Amino acid sequence: MSAPQAEAVAGDLAGLHFRPMGESDLGWVAAQDAQLYPFPWSEGNFADSISAGYACWVMLDGAERVGYGVLMMVIDEAHILNISVVAARQRGGLGCCLLGHFAELARESGARRLLLEVRPSNGPALALYARAGFQTIGRRKGYYPAVGGREDGLVMSLAL
């Protein structure tokens, strides 16, 4: 995203802020995941991520929760395990803001690169990651459950 585009998005989303995910968010986050994905994370998956010390965040627009994600740090790498914007608010720049938040957290923690996996069938996510500068560096065969079998996961990386 170019600087003018980023400034325009930031101006439209001036009320955005982030806070750590808490126990009171778990039901909401799991419900959102169930609406967004055919094979969602459970409330327990999110609770386990908090317990493991992963960076679990909720994105808010004013008082409204509009996104969430989970970031795992491993030495000098950061790995986005889950990044999601609620269905009603997709395609409005929120994914870019949430991704930017995780990139900044990773940099602050000393990460040199940010990694994630994405389904090849997830065109909107692939476009978002490409605009952010991610590059595909590998493919994990049968990584994701899918209707009627498994789907590969593309491994993407962003140098920080």
Side-chain angles (χ1 to χ4, degrees):
M1 177 175 292
S2 70
Q5 289 173 316
E7 288 172 17
V9 168
D12 292 342
L13 303 172
L16 280 185
H17 58 283
F18 302 88
R19 67 168 168 74
M21 187 184 296
E23 190 175 317
S24 64
D25 294 308
L26 294 176
W28 177 84
V29 170
Q32 296 307 308
D33 226 54
Q35 288 179 12
L36 293 168
Y37 305 109
F39 299 92
W41 281 28
S42 68
E43 190 170 323
N45 293 134
F46 288 104
D48 289 346
S49 294
I50 292 172
S51 294
Y54 299 162
C56 303
W57 288 83
V58 174
M59 180 172 60
L60 299 104
D61 185 0
E64 178 189 7
R65 294 177 287 198
V66 295
Y68 56 92
V70 177
L71 180 72
M72 177 180 69
M73 290 297 306
V74 180
I75 307 172
D76 64 348
E77 292 184 342
H79 194 134
I80 295 176
L81 302 178
N82 187 309
I83 185 168
S84 303
V85 172
V86 299
R89 297 292 302 271
Q90 291 182 355
R91 300 242 188 239
L94 294 176
C96 182
C97 292
L98 187 53
L99 193 57
H101 177 70
F102 279 129
E104 186 58 30
L105 287 172
R107 276 187 208 94
E108 289 173 359
S109 296
R112 293 183 178 180
R113 72 177 177 163
L114 185 57
L115 298 162
L116 57 80
E117 286 89 12
V118 61
R119 292 173 185 267
S121 63
N122 191 342
L126 287 169
L128 169 66
Y129 302 144
R131 283 192 309 273
F134 279 83
Q135 296 187 0
T136 301
I137 61 167
R139 179 180 289 263
R140 298 186 197 277
K141 293 286 185 192
Y143 185 75
Y144 290 107
V147 176
R150 308 283 302 176
E151 184 175 3
D152 292 351
L154 297 178
V155 181
M156 300 188 81
S157 177
L158 176 68
L160 298 174

